[in-house]
Amino acid sequence: MRPDLADLLETAASLLDSAGPLEPLHVAVGGRDVRITFAPGVPLADQRASVDRLAAATGSTPTHSNLGAAAATY
């Protein structure tokens, strides 16, 4: 069963709220996934601090890749 858009957005909002203050983000929904990226111009150090907060909120460890400043997964 696919979650509906409202459920996806509610889950994403709950996660973002639990992470605390974050840099400006863009949220995109596709299928059953929610993709969160940083707004243009957010410095790398601020992106990493926000990724660390998101990782802590999900109980995971961020993994930075060689794909660029915004290429972190957790």
Side-chain angles (χ1 to χ4, degrees), residues 4-20 22 25-29 32-36 54 57-58 74:
D4 66 8
L5 178 60
D7 290 338
L8 285 170
L9 293 176
E10 186 175 323
T11 300
S14 177
L15 171 63
L16 294 172
D17 284 344
S18 68
L22 301 169
L25 300 168
H26 293 233
V27 178
V29 177
R32 63 179 191 88
D33 299 318
V34 175
R35 173 178 269 188
I36 300 170
L54 287 166
T58 60
Y74 54 93

Side-chain angles (χ1 to χ4, degrees), residues 18-71:
S18 68
L22 301 169
E23 295 301 318
L25 300 168
H26 293 233
V27 178
V29 177
R32 63 179 191 88
D33 299 318
V34 175
R35 173 178 269 188
I36 300 170
T37 57
F38 292 98
V42 175
L44 178 59
D46 294 339
Q47 290 182 30
R48 286 195 173 158
S50 291
V51 167
D52 289 343
R53 286 188 198 98
L54 287 166
T58 60
S60 59
T61 303
T63 303
H64 298 280
S65 73
N66 294 328
L67 298 176

